[in-house]
Amino acid sequence: MNDVVKFKHAGSPDCETEQLHYTACGLDNIYLVSGFTRKQVAGETYVSVKDAEELHEAIALTLARKKLLSGKEIRFLRKYLEYTQADLGDWLGVSDQSVARYEKDRGTMDPSADGMLRLLVIGKALKCVDVHEELAKLRGQDDVLCDTLVMELDHDEWRAIAA
C-alpha cells in the first residue's frame, strides 16, 4: 500500500513498525506512528485515525511555531481556523486574492500578516485567549483619543474603571 512506510523504533532495532502517510489533512509531509488502526474488510484496507480533530489541532500548533510556512500549510491553517480566504484576508489586512496567492506559493506573506496568522492559530489551539474575539473587540472600539485612565485594585487585580 502506498501510504505505509516501514521504520524501526529508536532503541529497538529489531522491532519494525508501519507508519501512516497521513494526507487527509491536505498536507504531504505528515506521518503517524500511532493513533490509527487498519482494518481489512472484503480485501480492502480501511484506516481509522483516533481523535482526528485533536490531531489537526496538534499539527496546526506545530506549524504555527515553525519558522517558514508553505502554501499548503497556510491553507491548512486557514481551514483549521474555519475561515474562507476572504475571512483570513480581512484579519491579515490583505485581499482574498493575496491569500490565494500565499496558498499557491505565489506570494510572500508580510511579516505582520504572518504573525497574525500564527497568533490566531495559537490562540485557538491553546484556548488561552480567543485572539479573534479580542481583535473583534478592538475593531469595535470608538476611535476616541483618551488622555486619562483611571485604575483600581480589586481583589489583588488591577483593572481600568474609566477611560
Side-chain angles (χ1 to χ4, degrees), residues 78 84-90 93-108:
R78 176 180 59 80
T84 64
Q85 289 179 336
D87 292 336
L88 182 58
D90 184 46
V94 300
S95 70
D96 59 335
Q97 292 303 308
S98 291
V99 173
R101 283 192 297 275
Y102 301 153
E103 291 181 359
K104 294 176 185 171
D105 282 322
R106 293 190 179 146
T108 304

Side-chain angles (χ1 to χ4, degrees), residues 44-141:
E44 295 287 326
T45 301
Y46 293 89
V47 178
S48 175
V49 175
K50 183 178 180 185
D51 297 324
E53 191 171 307
E54 286 183 33
L55 170 61
H56 287 211
E57 186 171 89
I59 293 168
L61 187 57
T62 301
L63 292 176
R65 292 176 170 160
K66 186 179 164 188
K67 187 166 179 146
L68 295 173
L69 295 170
S70 71
K72 284 186 176 187
E73 291 168 338
I74 292 168
R75 182 182 309 114
F76 173 84
L77 294 176
R78 176 180 59 80
K79 289 181 177 184
Y80 168 74
L81 291 168
E82 300 178 51
Y83 289 168
T84 64
Q85 289 179 336
D87 292 336
L88 182 58
D90 184 46
W91 287 111
L92 301 182
V94 300
S95 70
D96 59 335
Q97 292 303 308
S98 291
V99 173
R101 283 192 297 275
Y102 301 153
E103 291 181 359
K104 294 176 185 171
D105 282 322
R106 293 190 179 146
T108 304
M109 200 179 303
D110 174 271
S112 60
D114 180 79
M116 177 62 73
L117 173 58
R118 292 167 192 273
L119 283 175
L120 288 166
V121 170
I122 290 168
K124 179 177 179 176
L126 296 181
K127 299 166 187 71
C128 56
V129 63
D130 186 339
V131 176
H132 182 257
E133 181 181 319
E134 292 301 320
L135 289 171
K137 286 179 191 175
L138 289 173
R139 286 185 173 180
Q141 296 294 323

Side-chain angles (χ1 to χ4, degrees), residues 21-41:
H21 184 193
Y22 182 69
T23 57
C25 62
L27 298 172
D28 300 324
N29 59 344
I30 306 297
Y31 293 86
L32 308 181
V33 296
S34 62
F36 66 93
T37 56
R38 293 182 204 280
K39 188 181 277 189
Q40 291 284 341
V41 177

